[in-house]
Amino acid sequence: MKISYEDVVSNELVKKCIERADVTYLPRGGKEHGFAHAARVADMTRFILDSVPCRKRDVELGAIAGYLHDIGYMVNEQDHEGNGGAVAFRLLGKMGVDPEEIAMIVTAIENCEGENASPVSEITAALILADAADLRPERVRKTSPAVFSKGDKANYYAAQARLEVERNDIKLIIKTEPNRCSVMDYFEFVMDRMILCRQAAEKLGMRFVLTINDRKMF
């Protein structure tokens, strides 16, 4: 079966799993990992793959991987990418998806985050970039900056973040509130993720450019 993005979004079991992934994480004060994040990452993954040379079918599979990438939070925060791959494997199998396409989606989900994250495929690379670009203060649920993680800070202090593709460059342009967070402090919050983004862009044959408050960091 050739599955579409709309097939996944409209599937009732998928809806319940994403809802549970967000609700399960909520008591721990984790960032939003619900429908809004899933849809934004899916859209950006599609945009990236549509902007670089790749198979047309991979664009659709990338959007699906983007939508499902955090579904593993329904099991646990720890190794959520591995759990997410396992959950997606079962969901997509139940939907009758072609085994080769299941493998491509699962590979992207399991390699987009975590200590062993790596852009092992074009879909994975686009997903890494899209996930890193969804920076929004409203994703942060903790109420005290004193207990923020680096990921919380990266979202909380981002007044604006957008992803652009221009010729051979994939650009992540971030604006922060200057009186709340310096450029160098913000760069510290996102540096590890941005190094991974640079590797992801290279996998796509592109160059990664990071700009914070009009200051080019990469």
Side-chain angles (χ1 to χ4, degrees):
M1 171 184 171
K2 292 291 185 182
I3 196 171
S4 71
Y5 174 71
E6 289 73 22
D7 291 332
V8 173
V9 173
S10 62
N11 183 274
E12 290 301 321
L13 185 52
V14 170
K15 290 179 184 178
K16 183 55 65 177
C17 288
I18 292 178
E19 180 182 282
R20 177 52 52 187
D22 199 35
V23 170
T24 299
Y25 198 34
L26 180 60
R28 286 168 260 174
K31 298 190 303 295
E32 179 262 320
H33 288 96
F35 296 109
H37 179 61
R40 288 173 66 90
V41 172
D43 287 346
M44 283 190 281
T45 303
R46 182 191 294 277
F47 166 70
I48 293 166
L49 289 172
D50 209 27
S51 302
V52 301
C54 74
R55 296 189 315 154
K56 185 174 181 62
R57 181 60 182 161
D58 287 354
V59 177
E60 191 77 358
L61 297 180
I64 294 169
Y67 196 74
L68 298 177
H69 80 285
D70 275 337
I71 206 165
Y73 276 99
M74 68 178 288
V75 181
N76 205 326
E77 176 185 5
Q78 188 73 22
D79 192 31
H80 70 273
E81 60 279 355
N83 290 325
V87 172
F89 179 86
R90 295 291 298 273
L91 283 172
L92 297 171
K94 188 176 179 66
M95 295 173 70
V97 178
D98 177 81
E100 178 63 25
E101 296 196 343
I102 292 176
M104 294 172 69
I105 293 167
V106 169
T107 294
I109 292 172
E110 292 201 0
N111 288 280
C112 71
E113 291 185 84
E115 292 182 2
N116 298 315
S118 177
V120 296
S121 68
E122 286 78 9
I123 291 174
T124 311
L127 176 52
I128 287 170
L129 287 156
D131 191 25
D134 187 23
L135 297 165
R136 296 174 285 123
E138 57 267 30
R139 292 193 66 205
V140 181
R141 288 163 165 163
K142 294 172 186 170
T143 56
S144 172
V147 296
F148 282 178
S149 66
K150 284 187 177 181
D152 292 326
K153 292 174 182 177
N155 280 273
Y156 186 75
Y157 294 114
Q160 179 186 348
R162 70 180 188 274
L163 198 67
E164 297 181 353
V165 179
E166 182 179 321
R167 296 183 182 176
N168 295 320
D169 292 340
I170 296 178
K171 300 180 178 181
L172 178 54
I173 301 166
I174 302 171
K175 299 286 187 181
T176 70
E177 298 289 349
N179 59 333
R180 299 176 66 191
C181 180
S182 72
V183 169
M184 291 311 297
D185 282 344
Y186 191 86
F187 182 62
E188 181 184 350
F189 305 151
V190 301
M191 182 174 64
D192 291 345
R193 198 74 179 273
M194 296 302 108
I195 291 173
L196 182 61
C197 284
R198 183 165 61 184
Q199 296 168 357
E202 290 172 354
K203 178 68 176 180
L204 295 168
M206 306 286 279
R207 182 179 66 168
F208 180 63
V209 178
L210 171 66
T211 304
I212 303 173
N213 291 355
D214 300 319
R215 183 173 175 180
K216 186 175 178 181
M217 312 303 292
F218 280 161

